[in-house]
Amino acid sequence: MIQTSLKESFKKSNYQLAGHGKRNIHVLKEAFQAVDENLESDLYGEGKVIEEFQEKMASILGKEEAVFFPSGTMAQQIALRIWCDEKGIRKVAYHPLSHLEIHEEDGLKEIHKIESILLADKNRVIELEDVLNLREPVSSILLELPQREIGGQLPSFDTLEQISAYCQENGIRLHLDGARLLEVLPYYQKSAAEVCALFDSVYLSFYKGIGGIAGAILAGDKEFIQQSKVWKRRYGGDLIGLYPYILSADYYFDRRAHKMEQYYQSAKELAHLYNSCHGISTLPIDPVSNMFHVHFQQPKDQVELVLAEVHRQTGIGLTSYLKEIDEKSCYFEVSLGDLYADVPNELVQVAFKRLNELMKQHFLPL
Amino acid sequence: MIQTSLKESFKKSNYQLAGHGKRNIHVLKEAFQAVDENLESDLYGEGKVIEEFQEKMASILGKEEAVFFPSGTMAQQIALRIWCDEKGIRKVAYHPLSHLEIHEEDGLKEIHKIESILLADKNRVIELEDVLNLREPVSSILLELPQREIGGQLPSFDTLEQISAYCQENGIRLHLDGARLLEVLPYYQKSAAEVCALFDSVYLSFYKGIGGIAGAILAGDKEFIQQSKVWKRRYGGDLIGLYPYILSADYYFDRRAHKMEQYYQSAKELAHLYNSCHGISTLPIDPVSNMFHVHFQQPKDQVELVLAEVHRQTGIGLTSYLKEIDEKSCYFEVSLGDLYADVPNELVQVAFKRLNELMKQHFLPL
């Protein structure tokens, strides 16, 4: 077996199964191709470009108002800070693997002195029980749909409704980390507004399922959005021009928001293929959105050899990386997008046949 | 006299004297025209696009390292926070009209609990005396070159050297708000690196004299930049892709950084023309950069009529707005850029002749 690095072999593959394609300058050029050169930049949060998009998103999410942020990190910290100020309680509850807890260098704690109460075991989603068992007062609870770090799992919609009702009765604000909100709508069989109605505030990302360049929307009631704009300025997020992100978000939103059902079906199909291979299982087994994780109970360096070999032999790219869990296991994340539909099905079958054979060859006890 | 709104009449004028032109989508399209579609996006602060630009800027500013930020607001608060943490003193000194004091919704105070000590009277620049007279310990001093809110004034370079030496002797960090640093180099007859050598940390903007879309560079030593990257992530400024700002900043930097002498000479010429008109004076009288303010000792609504009339009669656009100081006075800001050189000089002469006549006609005591 030739040793090719996983990243290199993935780059050289003819087809990639996940995503919308490369994150390169073409993404921007395509989005701007049809935009009138004379269209004026937004200006510190004002102007047609930003205001119209904010109104469009507020309407889709069923909220009074919305504001465009350069990042979800900024938007969500601010949302939680506003709810903490409202209640006079600097505590929020969320999942142990929330983006705020593990990917933001403790911004919430360092900037706002907000304490995080971790709900649920890290290997499962938050259930009503976890909320009922909260032993201390919190200003707000953040739910992430789907829970990304565990493969994109979801509570039932009933659970969401129960948590929402409980929070409303008990004066706890409920915030939605909806970075991938659109991606879960096919599973729930709900509109974005129907899901958002259960939450006081909502954040949506434009570079996940939508595949834009960057940027996020925060939505809620008028008073909440007004305050969030003040904080956006404090953070240095009220840029003189956010239009490169806004116009590309709008372009790819229109192009992909209606394709979430397709991505979801692709995810289910692809997960089934992985689960049919020796020594491979997906988390969740049956995806509930366009995403899942692919787990191996074998050492990372050995799995890398197998995957690179599949890339090399079949021209089908499965992943560019593997993440080590411990010495004996590893995984990678898959988010389905536009690309999957363009891969000839017979080549996909060949790739998974080969993957299964190589997995057996390498890891089946003799 | 026909009553045309100032903004409308400015928009309809054939030539505008200040700036580089409209802030529209063309600015982005032009910058990206020659960029290879296959160039990869930066990825959370890493990758060729961001790293090469950061190295280029570090080198030009004569600092060990540099980091690209979406905004100067974010970059500067972070710089001051790092210096406060280093000294264990949550106090910084700056001009009463510093951007941090008047344009950031008190981000420095609200986010970092940093107290600001206001140096000097608001109508003049900070002098060595002001620093010597500091009665309490501060972690750092921020100097803005030029001091924008008073028309872009500068201390002498000797004063800068003396303040820098004093700060170094007394363990006070000196930070440069160099939003318009390049614009003052022709007056000082220094390189950017020569000015920056007097400061521990430096911020530079890309949408002032450079005319990019947005974005900023923060430069300093390795340890400082390392810390600033952690804070950049906390703030939500570590976007998955900042390339729309980086590549346009780079494009316009290369196109305009060497033209600051031209803008400076244009500013001196234009200020002279304003000062030759009845009832008009610029601040400063002799510009020391590409910028100045134009002051009127007359009520805003009356001056508006005069300026709109000049626009209408001559096709020369002077300003789109006036800012009221009090019931009897007002001003607007001028920043010279590419446009001035393209305006036929005879038309400029006609416009100022007309402006002078109208000012006399309206405001000369009978």
Side-chain angles (χ1 to χ4, degrees):
Chain A
M1 187 184 281
I2 297 165
Q3 296 216 6
T4 321
S5 99
L6 188 56
K7 198 174 173 178
E8 276 309 302
S9 67
F10 179 78
K11 272 195 181 176
K12 286 182 187 158
S13 63
N14 303 323
Y15 295 97
Q16 293 83 42
L17 300 185
H20 298 304
K22 288 188 180 137
R23 293 189 60 82
N24 60 19
I25 308 305
H26 175 76
V27 174
L28 180 140
K29 290 205 175 194
E30 182 186 326
F32 277 82
Q33 204 158 22
V35 179
D36 178 8
E37 292 218 324
N38 297 310
L39 180 62
E40 278 182 44
S41 171
D42 51 310
L43 196 69
Y44 298 114
E46 294 184 351
K48 190 173 136 82
V49 164
I50 190 165
E51 286 164 12
E52 283 188 359
F53 187 64
Q54 289 174 167
E55 283 161 24
K56 175 177 173 175
M57 286 301 131
S59 162
I60 288 166
L61 301 174
K63 295 294 178 196
E64 268 179 30
E65 290 193 4
V67 56
F68 191 88
F69 273 90
S71 74
T73 296
M74 193 185 290
Q76 295 207 106
Q77 286 178 15
I78 286 172
L80 297 180
R81 170 62 185 265
I82 292 168
W83 296 141
C84 283
D85 282 356
E86 183 197 56
K87 297 283 161 201
I89 302 171
R90 293 253 170 143
K91 288 184 188 178
V92 301
Y94 52 55
H95 193 272
L97 299 179
S98 167
H99 196 274
L100 289 112
E101 194 67 13
I102 64 175
H103 290 308
E104 301 180 9
E105 292 280 0
D106 278 338
L108 192 73
K109 297 162 195 179
E110 293 288 338
I111 291 178
H112 299 289
K113 309 294 171 211
I114 292 174
E115 190 187 329
S116 61
I117 311 296
L118 304 181
L119 284 173
D121 178 86
K122 70 183 171 65
N123 295 312
R124 61 167 179 81
V125 298
I126 294 168
E127 299 289 350
L128 177 62
E129 289 274 287
D130 301 305
V131 174
L132 297 178
N133 288 336
L134 259 173
R135 286 286 160 265
E136 45 194 329
V138 296
S139 66
S140 50
I141 292 173
L142 175 149
L143 294 184
E144 183 184 347
L145 304 179
Q147 198 68 52
R148 185 246 180 128
E149 298 291 342
I150 49 173
Q153 297 183 51
L154 286 176
S156 72
F157 197 75
D158 277 356
T159 296
L160 288 187
E161 287 180 317
Q162 287 160 3
I163 291 175
S164 175
Y166 177 84
C167 285
Q168 207 167 355
E169 280 158 27
N170 291 273
I172 299 169
R173 293 295 192 174
L174 193 58
H175 172 79
L176 171 58
D177 179 342
R180 297 166 180 80
L181 168 64
L182 302 176
E183 291 89 319
V184 305
L185 300 179
Y187 173 77
Y188 279 142
Q189 291 284 300
K190 300 285 178 192
S191 70
E194 283 170 325
V195 177
C196 293
L198 304 176
F199 296 85
D200 296 293
S201 54
V202 177
Y203 140 68
L204 181 74
S205 166
F206 295 105
Y207 63 89
K208 277 99 187 187
I210 297 298
I213 301 172
I217 271 282
L218 183 65
D221 68 26
K222 217 168 180 167
E223 162 74 18
F224 169 83
I225 292 302
Q226 192 46 47
Q227 287 185 59
S228 77
K229 286 179 180 173
V230 172
W231 278 104
K232 181 182 168 192
R233 172 151 290 220
R234 284 180 183 145
Y235 264 68
D238 192 19
L239 303 195
I240 185 167
L242 279 165
Y243 73 82
Y245 299 130
I246 296 168
L247 290 171
S248 49
D250 198 21
Y251 175 83
Y252 290 108
F253 184 90
D254 288 348
R255 229 190 128 188
R256 294 184 177 134
H258 62 282
K259 292 173 81 179
M260 295 297 156
E261 173 72 31
Q262 174 195 318
Y263 305 154
Y264 170 46
Q265 295 303 333
S266 301
K268 288 202 287 189
E269 186 178 307
L270 189 57
H272 178 72
L273 287 168
Y274 277 113
N275 287 313
S276 309
C277 294
H278 173 75
I280 302 179
S281 62
T282 68
L283 181 70
I285 292 283
D286 292 313
V288 290
S289 71
N290 72 325
M291 78 171 290
F292 56 86
H293 286 178
V294 181
H295 281 259
F296 302 83
Q297 300 305 318
Q298 290 91 19
K300 175 171 173 278
D301 53 350
Q302 291 181 39
V303 176
E304 264 172 3
L305 293 176
V306 168
L307 296 176
E309 191 65 11
V310 173
H311 292 169
R312 209 181 59 75
Q313 290 183 13
T314 70
I316 297 286
L318 304 174
T319 182
S320 64
Y321 75 98
L322 274 172
K323 212 165 166 179
E324 188 169 82
I325 297 171
D326 53 35
E327 282 180 10
K328 289 180 179 167
S329 63
C330 57
Y331 81 100
F332 66 89
E333 184 174 289
V334 174
S335 294
L336 274 293
D338 285 346
L339 291 186
Y340 188 74
D342 294 335
V343 188
N345 188 262
E346 60 274 22
L347 293 186
V348 176
Q349 300 301 329
V350 168
F352 277 90
K353 186 160 174 279
R354 195 73 198 103
L355 175 60
N356 190 28
E357 286 165 3
L358 285 167
M359 287 298 291
K360 282 182 179 165
Q361 189 179 316
H362 278 262
F363 303 117
L364 209 58
L366 292 177
Chain B
M1 189 184 279
I2 296 165
Q3 295 216 9
T4 321
S5 98
L6 188 55
K7 197 173 175 180
E8 277 309 304
S9 67
F10 179 78
K11 272 195 179 174
K12 286 182 187 158
S13 63
N14 303 322
Y15 296 97
Q16 293 84 39
L17 300 184
H20 298 304
K22 288 187 180 136
R23 293 190 60 83
N24 60 19
I25 309 305
H26 176 76
V27 173
L28 179 140
K29 290 205 175 194
E30 182 186 327
F32 278 83
Q33 204 158 22
V35 179
D36 178 7
E37 292 218 323
N38 297 310
L39 180 62
E40 279 182 43
S41 171
D42 51 311
L43 197 69
Y44 297 114
E46 295 184 349
K48 191 173 137 82
V49 164
I50 190 165
E51 286 165 12
E52 284 188 0
F53 187 64
Q54 289 175 167
E55 283 162 23
K56 175 176 173 175
M57 286 301 131
S59 162
I60 288 167
L61 300 174
K63 295 295 178 194
E64 268 180 31
E65 291 193 4
V67 55
F68 191 88
F69 273 90
S71 74
T73 295
M74 194 185 289
Q76 296 208 106
Q77 287 178 14
I78 286 173
L80 296 181
R81 171 60 186 264
I82 292 169
W83 296 141
C84 283
D85 282 356
E86 183 197 56
K87 297 284 162 203
I89 302 171
R90 292 252 170 142
K91 287 183 189 181
V92 300
Y94 53 54
H95 193 273
L97 299 180
S98 166
H99 197 274
L100 290 112
E101 194 66 13
I102 65 175
H103 290 307
E104 301 180 9
E105 293 280 0
D106 278 338
L108 192 73
K109 297 162 195 178
E110 293 287 338
I111 292 178
H112 299 289
K113 308 295 170 209
I114 292 174
E115 189 187 329
S116 61
I117 311 295
L118 305 181
L119 285 173
D121 178 84
K122 70 182 171 64
N123 295 312
R124 62 168 178 81
V125 298
I126 294 167
E127 299 289 350
L128 177 62
E129 290 273 288
D130 301 305
V131 174
L132 297 179
N133 288 336
L134 260 173
R135 285 285 160 266
E136 45 194 330
V138 296
S139 67
S140 49
I141 293 174
L142 174 149
L143 295 183
E144 182 185 345
L145 304 180
Q147 198 69 51
R148 184 246 180 129
E149 298 290 342
I150 50 173
Q153 297 184 51
L154 286 176
S156 72
F157 198 75
D158 277 356
T159 296
L160 288 187
E161 287 180 316
Q162 286 160 4
I163 291 175
S164 175
Y166 177 85
C167 285
Q168 207 167 354
E169 280 160 26
N170 291 272
I172 299 169
R173 293 294 192 174
L174 194 57
H175 172 79
L176 171 56
D177 178 342
R180 296 166 180 80
L181 168 64
L182 302 175
E183 291 89 319
V184 306
L185 301 179
Y187 173 78
Y188 279 142
Q189 291 283 301
K190 301 284 178 191
S191 70
E194 282 170 328
V195 177
C196 294
L198 305 176
F199 295 84
D200 296 293
S201 53
V202 177
Y203 140 67
L204 180 74
S205 166
F206 295 105
Y207 63 90
K208 276 103 188 185
I210 296 299
I213 301 171
I217 271 283
L218 183 65
D221 68 26
K222 217 169 180 164
E223 162 76 18
F224 170 83
I225 292 303
Q226 192 45 48
Q227 287 185 59
S228 77
K229 286 180 180 174
V230 173
W231 277 105
K232 182 182 167 192
R233 172 151 291 221
R234 284 179 183 147
Y235 264 67
D238 192 20
L239 303 195
I240 184 166
L242 280 165
Y243 74 81
Y245 299 133
I246 296 168
L247 290 171
S248 49
D250 198 22
Y251 175 83
Y252 290 108
F253 184 90
D254 288 349
R255 228 189 129 189
R256 296 186 176 132
H258 63 281
K259 293 173 79 179
M260 296 296 156
E261 173 72 31
Q262 174 194 318
Y263 304 153
Y264 170 46
Q265 295 303 333
S266 301
K268 288 202 287 190
E269 187 179 306
L270 188 58
H272 178 72
L273 287 168
Y274 277 113
N275 287 313
S276 309
C277 293
H278 173 76
I280 302 179
S281 62
T282 68
L283 181 70
I285 293 284
D286 292 312
V288 290
S289 71
N290 73 325
M291 79 170 290
F292 56 87
H293 287 178
V294 181
H295 282 259
F296 302 82
Q297 300 306 318
Q298 290 90 20
K300 174 172 174 277
D301 55 350
Q302 291 182 38
V303 176
E304 265 172 2
L305 293 178
V306 167
L307 297 176
E309 191 64 12
V310 172
H311 293 170
R312 208 181 59 76
Q313 289 184 11
T314 71
I316 297 286
L318 305 173
T319 182
S320 64
Y321 76 98
L322 274 172
K323 214 166 165 177
E324 189 169 84
I325 298 171
D326 54 35
E327 283 179 11
K328 290 180 180 170
S329 63
C330 59
Y331 80 100
F332 65 90
E333 184 174 288
V334 174
S335 293
L336 275 293
D338 285 348
L339 292 186
Y340 189 73
D342 293 335
V343 189
N345 187 262
E346 60 275 20
L347 293 186
V348 176
Q349 300 302 329
V350 168
F352 278 90
K353 186 160 174 280
R354 196 71 198 104
L355 175 60
N356 191 27
E357 286 164 4
L358 284 167
M359 287 298 291
K360 281 183 181 163
Q361 190 179 314
H362 278 262
F363 302 118
L364 207 58
L366 292 178

